[in-house]
Amino acid sequence: MNRMFRDLKTGRRTVDEITGSRRLRRMRKADWSRRLVQENRLTVDDLIWPIFVIEGEGRREPIDAMPGVFRMTLDVAIKEVERAAKLGVPAIATFPNVDRSLRDQTGSEILNADNILNRASRAIKAAVPEIGIITDAALDPFTSHGHDGILRDGIIVNDETVSQVAQAAVLQAAAGADIIAPSDMMDGRIGAIRDALDANGFQDVAIMSYATKFASAYYGPYREAIGTAGLLKGDKKTYYIDHANSEEAVREAEQDVLEGADMLMVKPGLPYLDIIRRLKDELRMPTFAYQVSGEYAMIKAAAANGWIDGEKVMMESLAAFKRAGCDGILTYFAPEVAELLKG
């Protein structure tokens, strides 16, 4: 009876009446209506594809912990990047697996203008000029201890690492990188990189800051991919953010914006959707997430065991990033997703 009652003075329907006539399922009843009111949409333009490069020729090495992902020699990588570009993927992020004989305490190989990472940038830029290239100036692929910075007396030294990272960023820009994405989490690195790039004529090279990189257990398969698994002594908690801290993450991002970051990244991705949302709302900067190796591996493993529908979970996880406010996602699923979206 209450649902049919109107206020005698105003003629307005009561709350009970409104609630009774509202049917949220009306717009869910058909595919066309669901598409019509969908709030967030994943497109190929949201995808950045991380790839792993190695020395040699004609080789593609499987990564056990990351089914479907390979370390590739440059000739193979170029063909795969060409395919990704044809699918519309706008950018790739390159990571090297460096021979252990080239690694040392300071990661000095990163300052070799002809190292595997820089040669990859030159080769890919020459062969596939339409795709963006993102490189990481962190030292961990080049150090003998697997840390992201220079190790002195058991301590990762900040300022000496920042100086080397900035020099490496200039070499990477000279080799063709369009975006420098430093993941080392040293204090002051963004300002130092911006100053170094500008001083060397690379004012148009952008910086995507790994602004909030957490001390996470999700990175294991990645460390296998770049060859640092087993090298790391201790952990990275003295320079990565505690995974329990959100206010600190915002302060880190604010500092990087003030120092000149053009884009912000949250890493890992899915467990940190709250951080993505906060950064987007509070800083209003282009914001990205890295769906890291552990996230990828869990989806692949569960799908291989028949516990989930891997394709659907893959797409749902990426939609979650868009819903949280991401402008783009670094994901190992990029070519697979691009194929699906094209289809």
Side-chain angles (χ1 to χ4, degrees):
M1 293 293 292
N2 285 341
R3 286 203 303 262
M4 299 302 295
F5 179 76
R6 291 177 184 270
D7 188 288
L8 294 178
K9 292 182 179 180
T10 65
R12 294 175 181 167
R13 295 190 294 175
T14 65
V15 172
D16 282 348
E17 185 180 357
I18 293 171
T19 303
S21 62
R22 179 175 294 154
R23 300 279 179 164
L24 297 180
R25 288 181 57 189
R26 289 189 185 113
M27 295 310 295
R28 302 173 193 157
K29 67 180 181 180
D31 177 68
W32 66 265
S33 60
R34 291 191 295 272
R35 287 188 286 119
L36 197 64
V37 299
Q38 189 176 69
E39 297 174 24
N40 297 284
R41 207 172 293 274
L42 179 72
T43 75
V44 71
D45 296 332
D46 298 315
L47 304 175
I48 297 170
W49 185 30
I51 65 170
F52 300 102
V53 293
I54 54 173
E55 298 283 2
E57 187 175 348
R59 287 193 299 120
R60 174 195 302 264
E61 294 179 353
I63 301 165
D64 291 342
M66 301 175 70
V69 177
F70 301 87
R71 304 180 198 91
M72 298 175 284
T73 55
L74 296 188
D75 55 331
V76 175
I78 286 170
K79 292 178 182 177
E80 291 298 320
V81 172
E82 286 175 341
R83 181 173 72 90
K86 288 177 182 177
L87 288 169
V89 174
I92 60 166
T94 52
F95 298 94
N97 183 305
V98 178
D99 189 272
R100 292 199 177 189
S101 66
L102 298 174
R103 304 182 190 214
D104 58 25
Q105 289 285 99
T106 65
S108 61
E109 176 66 9
I110 200 171
L111 298 180
N112 178 0
D114 202 35
N115 65 35
I116 182 63
L117 184 62
N118 293 329
R119 280 188 283 120
S121 292
R122 288 194 290 270
I124 292 169
K125 183 61 70 176
V128 198
E130 66 271 26
I131 204 161
I133 299 175
I134 302 171
T135 56
D136 185 356
L139 306 186
D140 53 320
F142 301 93
T143 59
S144 56
H145 44 73
H147 279 285
D148 297 37
I150 295 171
L151 187 65
R152 300 280 187 211
D153 300 321
I155 296 172
I156 301 301
V157 292
N158 191 93
D159 296 355
E160 189 176 348
T161 297
V162 167
S163 176
Q164 186 156 305
V165 163
Q167 294 175 63
V170 172
L171 293 174
Q172 291 172 12
D178 301 289
I179 297 173
I180 306 298
S183 69
D184 54 285
M185 291 298 290
M186 298 295 117
D187 289 331
R189 74 203 192 285
I190 299 301
I193 290 171
R194 185 71 273 160
D195 289 346
L197 290 173
D198 291 354
N200 286 276
F202 298 113
Q203 294 89 346
D204 293 335
V205 173
I207 299 175
M208 176 189 285
S209 172
Y210 284 65
T212 59
K213 187 176 183 181
F214 290 87
S216 171
Y218 283 86
Y219 303 140
Y222 169 85
R223 289 170 184 164
E224 178 190 331
I226 65 168
T228 60
L231 293 180
L232 188 65
K233 304 301 181 185
D235 54 42
K236 303 190 178 187
K237 291 181 179 179
T238 65
Y239 49 104
Y240 289 4
I241 302 173
D242 188 320
H243 63 256
N245 294 358
S246 55
E247 296 297 332
E248 182 184 5
V250 175
R251 291 197 300 272
E252 281 277 5
E254 287 174 338
Q255 179 172 306
D256 288 357
V257 171
L258 290 173
E259 290 182 14
D262 301 286
M263 295 162 275
L264 301 174
M265 187 203 296
V266 177
K267 182 180 180 180
L270 210 59
Y272 298 90
L273 295 180
D274 60 316
I275 306 298
I276 295 167
R277 185 72 264 167
R278 282 196 65 182
L279 296 189
K280 192 64 178 178
D281 288 345
E282 295 181 28
L283 301 181
R284 298 189 178 278
M285 290 283 292
T287 303
F288 296 76
Y290 198 140
Q291 186 181 46
V292 300
S293 58
E295 298 174 72
Y296 173 89
M298 288 192 299
I299 292 173
K300 282 292 189 179
N305 279 284
W307 297 334
I308 61 171
D309 183 317
E311 185 177 294
K312 289 181 179 178
V313 170
M314 171 184 73
M315 298 302 286
E316 185 177 341
S317 68
L318 296 175
F321 292 122
K322 294 296 294 180
R323 192 179 66 246
C326 276
D327 298 284
I329 308 122
L330 287 83
T331 176
Y332 302 101
F333 288 118
E336 186 177 350
V337 172
E339 290 275 12
L340 285 172
L341 292 172
K342 185 176 181 180

